[in-house]
């Protein structure tokens, strides 16, 4: 068994809506079916008892090694604690070759699980050992390392529940919510609107106390200190016990509370110095340690934090009691669990010494042994929810502290006996104000009820919407680029700043920000990250869908122009038009529930896609009498068609007419494929709620020239002859172009054509078979890139397609695209027509434009 082409599908894809790892699995003839491998299933289950079913419900037939791999990769992740459920194995047309897709929650974990799954199967085949426990632990540890921490995770989970899209920008905690101009960003529990000044104030604990005191908020007395002697002097000034801590710190790092002696203070000072150079000493407030979470101008949650401790049993040492407590499954390392393991370090030893203990002493039964005085969860403390107990005046002091510092999200540390009474009544106070506070203690407290802290933060970011901008996805065999450009033009005419992608680059407004073929998910994601984009239109090509899936979870509008004898059949196991349709319909399957699929009613394959659309459907076709159009109209649903020289948008009793005479791109309705592109674009604009007056004005101002839609039926006047430049490169495009050319008057018709070498032989031949009945002279050219074909092979196939052509009087074979273009232009006379099927779009159009300019 060999694995190849392992891909991460990072969005909705051919297999499912889940992020998935996909691999091509090639099995030897004697390994294809596990029933033919004596003892294999028993050996693989012996090595991985939790392998589960090898044949999911609903599937039947022989079980292949690829299916075993699917089950292994899925269940290894499940055993490691990953929330995954989906797997799929599909046999290709090649014997012994399978496609395997398995869901992942973290890409690195999914890739590692695929590798371990392969190792497991090899071990079972060879009857060699496989340490499944070690593999699962490694997967679990990696998952804990790479997944979002509890604070960021709580916010992301709340956003997902609200339907707010998100994208992780780094391997850490930086996350973008929303798209385009509606985007917001967080770093853990800190949001993009929090000022650097507020964060700086919160980090300076002495300045924070000064500001809070000025606002009438009770704070403990204290000051910065320069060295150990100054620290002891401050302690004597204030009066012990005191707290020693870094002046700029977080998560309780370097904090030692209830310091009573100089020896203890010296240890505390050294510990604080390990984290920061600037140290401060302040009065120790007796009572409990409380954390109050303020979001915006509201108190959202409160927790009592108890220092780490153990209870003596009269038998075990303190060290043994700590070890036993650390076995608690709710304790772990880092922030992945509700509580952190208790450490026996210098601070713990010093705290034990004050209580008269050493780590190896056996404390009396029932005695409470404190391991340190600060109660931060990161140092082993526990949290008990007390949100419902907070006195209104305590809540107001916390909110006032957050406002005084200027924090949108604020963790306010309060020390007092109880939060049920005002602080002033019990000599309590606010000891710290924290930017980016940890949410773990509130979302998943050690004891008590979890609070919806992530939801509160998402509500602060998006009080009224879900952070989405309108997204339009366009796919099909032909017409995609023009349709994308026209929809983007109509959105722009409505006042929105539009980003769009296509085979000729990425555009934001009037500026092209990237070049080349940008019809994949990477370019789409870049548009969704751009802050100046109010609406996005994406050309969604098959290649990007296969490589990585979609760049978005749902779209507002999905447009399928047509599914024909298209290009690229035979590549990546897409061998038939039906295969292509299953792939292209992914955008329809991922229309929002309040969104619309715009489908070509003259294409039966497109019509069938309506069955999988979660939203509404608008059909378009020139012929309103088609069965799909008739049925849709009868139900009072939206249709777009042509009638008496007008495009008609009909919904029940409502009809709106747009005269084709006012749509230049169609040449008054004479260019049939452009009429289809316009109908699809009108239907999309209608679904987006664009006003009809804007649509009409936008159509009138859209010209299909080499600047607005390069390579899409661009017209030039060359010495009185008509030159049409187009990027058509498949049989369906040839049919559409020849129909358009036949409708144009010409004395003599020329065509310049080549073909991409990565198409099937029959597709290459068919292009010239179609052209042969329309053109008088054919110029075949070979460019530098044959895409795996032998020299002259493509031209030979094109010439084969011309056999029996009824009209062609002359065929030339040329090397070089521009040489072929020049040959055709030099032969033209006034009244002739030449169709140039360009390959290097920008360069070829520039070359033609230069030749045209030279004649004027």
């Amino acid at each position: 068994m060999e694995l190849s082409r392992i891909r991460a599908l990072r969005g909705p894809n051919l297999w499912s809506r889940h992020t998935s790892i996909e691999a091509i699995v090639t099995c030897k003839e004697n390994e294809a079916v596990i029933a033919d491998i004596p003892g294999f299933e028993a050996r693989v289950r012996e090595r991985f008892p939790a392998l589960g079913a090898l044949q999911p419900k609903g599937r039947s037939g022989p079980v292949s090694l690829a299916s075993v791999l699917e089950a292994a990769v899925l269940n290894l992740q499940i055993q490691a604690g990953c929330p995954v459920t989906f797997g799929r194995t599909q046999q290709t047309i090649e014997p012994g070759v399978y496609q395997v897709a398995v869901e992942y929650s973290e890409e690195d974990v999914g890739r590692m699980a695929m590798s371990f799954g392969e190792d497991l199967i090899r071990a079972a085949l060879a009857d060699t050992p496989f340490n499944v426990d070690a593999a699962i632990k490694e997967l679990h540890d990696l998952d804990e390392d790479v997944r979002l921490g509890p604070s960021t995770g709580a916010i992301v989970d709340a956003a997902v529940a609200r339907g707010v899209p998100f994208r992780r920008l780094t391997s850490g905690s930086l996350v973008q919510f929303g798209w385009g101009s509606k985007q917001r960003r967080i770093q853990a529990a800190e949001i993009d609107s929090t000022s650097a000044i507020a964060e700086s104030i919160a980090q300076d604990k002495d300045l924070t106390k000064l500001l809070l005191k000025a606002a009438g908020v009770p704070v403990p007395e204290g000051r910065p200190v320069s060295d150990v002697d100054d620290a002891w002097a401050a302690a004597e000034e204030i009066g012990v016990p005191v707290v020693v801590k870094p002046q700029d710190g977080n998560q309780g790092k370097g904090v030692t509370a209830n310091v009573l002696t100089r020896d203890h203070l010296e240890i505390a000072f050294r510990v604080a110095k390990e984290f920061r150079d600037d140290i401060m000493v302040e009065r120790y407030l007796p009572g409990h340690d409380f954390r109050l979470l303020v979001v915006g101008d509201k108190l959202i949650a409160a927790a009592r934090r108890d220092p780490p401790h153990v209870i003596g049993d009269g038998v075990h040492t303190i060290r043994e009691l700590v070890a036993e407590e650390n076995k608690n499954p709710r304790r772990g390392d880092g922030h992945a669990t509700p509580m952190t393991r208790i450490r026996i370090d210098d601070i713990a030893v010093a705290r034990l010494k004050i209580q008269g203990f050493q780590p190896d002493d056996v404390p009396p039964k029932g005695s409470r042994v404190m391991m340190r005085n600060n109660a931060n969860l990161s140092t082993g403390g526990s949290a008990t929810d007390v949100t419902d107990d907070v006195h209104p005046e305590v809540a107001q002091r916390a909110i006032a502290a957050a406002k005084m510092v200027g924090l949108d999200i604020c963790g306010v540390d309060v020390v007092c006996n109880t939060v049920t009474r005002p602080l002033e009544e019990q000599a309590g106070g606010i000891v710290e104000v924290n930017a980016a506070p940890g949410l773990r203690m509130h979302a998943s407290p050690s004891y008590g009820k979890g609070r919806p802290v992530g939801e509160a933060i998402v509500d602060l970011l998006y009080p009224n919407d879900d952070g989405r901008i309108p997204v339009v996805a366009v796919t099909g065999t032909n017409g995609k680029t023009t349709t994308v450009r026209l929809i983007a033009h109509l959105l722009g005419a409505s006042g929105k700043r539009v980003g769009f992608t296509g085979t000729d680059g990425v555009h934001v407004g009037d500026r092209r920000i990237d070049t080349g073929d940008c019809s994949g998910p990477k370019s789409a994601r870049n548009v969704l990250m751009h802050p100046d984009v109010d609406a996005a239109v994406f050309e969604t090509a098959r290649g990007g869908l296969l490589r990585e899936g979609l760049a978005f979870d749902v779209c507002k509008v999905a447009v399928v122009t047509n599914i024909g004898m298209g290009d690229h059949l035979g590549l990546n196991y897409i061998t038939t038009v039906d295969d292509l349709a299953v792939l292209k319909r992914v955008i329809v399957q991922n229309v929002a529930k309040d969104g619309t699929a715009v489908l070509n009613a003259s294409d039966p394959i497109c019509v069938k896609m309506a069955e999988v659309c979660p939203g509404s459907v608008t059909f378009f076709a020139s012929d309103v009498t088609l069965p799909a159009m008739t049925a849709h109209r009868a139900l009072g649903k939206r249709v777009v068609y042509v009638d008496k020289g007008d495009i008609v948008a009909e919904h029940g009793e409502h009809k709106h007419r747009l005269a084709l005479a006012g749509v230049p791109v169609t040449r008054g309705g004479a260019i049939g494929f452009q009429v289809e592109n316009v109908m699809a674009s009108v239907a999309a604009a209608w679904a987006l709620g664009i006003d009809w007056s804007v649509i009409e004005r936008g159509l009138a101002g859209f010209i299909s020239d080499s600047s607005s839609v390069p390579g899409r039926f661009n017209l030039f006047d060359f010495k009185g002859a008509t030159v049409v430049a187009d990027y058509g490169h498949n049989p369906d495009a040839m049919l559409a172009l020849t129909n358009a050319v036949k409708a144009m008057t010409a004395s003599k018709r020329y065509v310049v054509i080549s073909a991409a070498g990565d198409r099937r032989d029959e597709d290459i031949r068919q292009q010239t078979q179609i052209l042969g009945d329309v053109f008088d002279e054919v110029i075949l050219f070979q460019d530098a890139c044959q895409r795996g074909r032998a020299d002259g092979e493509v031209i030979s196939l094109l010439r084969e397609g011309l056999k029996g052509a009824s009209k062609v009087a002359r065929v030339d074979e040329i090397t070089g695209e521009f040489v072929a273009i020049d040959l055709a232009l030099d032969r033209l006379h006034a009244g002739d027509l030449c169709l140039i099927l360009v390959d290097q779009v920008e360069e070829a159009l520039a070359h033609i434009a230069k030749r045209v300019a030279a004649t004027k």
Side-chain angles (χ1 to χ4, degrees), residues 268-280:
F269 191 89
R270 284 199 307 271
V271 170
K273 271 285 188 180
E274 291 177 6
F275 295 93
R276 294 289 188 275
D277 290 330
D278 297 326
I279 310 301
M280 69 182 299

Side-chain angles (χ1 to χ4, degrees), residues 223-246 254-274 279-284 346-347 349-351 353-354 373:
R223 67 175 176 84
V225 296
S226 57
D227 53 30
V228 170
D229 291 335
D230 191 27
W232 182 244
E236 289 183 316
E237 293 165 13
I238 297 166
V240 292
V242 295
V243 176
V244 180
K245 61 184 180 182
V255 178
T256 306
N258 202 11
V259 175
L260 292 164
T261 67
R262 176 160 182 138
D263 288 346
H264 193 189
L265 181 137
E266 289 178 0
I267 294 172
F269 191 89
R270 284 199 307 271
V271 170
K273 271 285 188 180
E274 291 177 6
I279 310 301
M280 69 182 299
V281 174
E282 66 182 22
R283 182 185 301 279
Y284 173 72
D346 288 347
I347 293 178
V349 171
R351 189 69 220 151
K353 185 177 180 181
I354 291 172
N373 273 94

Side-chain angles (χ1 to χ4, degrees), residues 474 478-487 500-504 519 539 561 677 702 708-712 727:
V474 180
N478 295 302
K480 298 185 295 292
T481 300
T482 300
T483 303
V484 164
R485 291 266 189 160
L486 183 47
I487 294 171
F500 65 92
T501 64
T503 51
D504 59 344
S519 57
E539 182 173 343
T561 58
N677 293 336
F702 185 78
S708 62
V709 193
R712 271 67 187 181
Y727 184 58

Side-chain angles (χ1 to χ4, degrees), residues 716 718 825 843-856:
F716 299 87
F718 184 79
L825 294 178
E843 296 85 348
L845 291 175
H847 184 79
I848 295 168
K850 184 177 180 181
R851 288 293 309 269
V852 169
T855 66
K856 297 181 179 179

Side-chain angles (χ1 to χ4, degrees), residues 592-676:
K593 289 182 180 179
D594 63 347
T596 303
V598 174
L599 304 175
N600 187 340
S602 64
D603 185 333
I605 296 176
C606 289
V607 171
K608 192 170 179 57
M609 292 183 187
E611 299 172 4
V612 300
C613 179
S616 61
V617 172
T618 299
F619 281 128
F620 71 92
S622 295
D623 184 359
V624 72
T625 66
L626 290 171
M629 296 287 283
T630 302
H632 219 54
R633 289 178 79 197
L635 293 171
K637 297 182 179 181
R638 292 186 177 191
V639 291
V640 178
Y641 56 92
V642 175
D643 178 58
K644 299 176 182 177
D646 294 339
I647 287 177
V648 181
E650 179 181 320
H651 185 200
E653 298 298 318
H654 169 80
K655 290 184 181 181
H656 192 93
R657 288 181 171 269
L658 299 163
L660 281 168
V663 186
V665 71
T666 69
R667 292 176 71 91
I671 306 176
F673 69 87
Q674 293 288 40
V675 173
E676 289 200 346

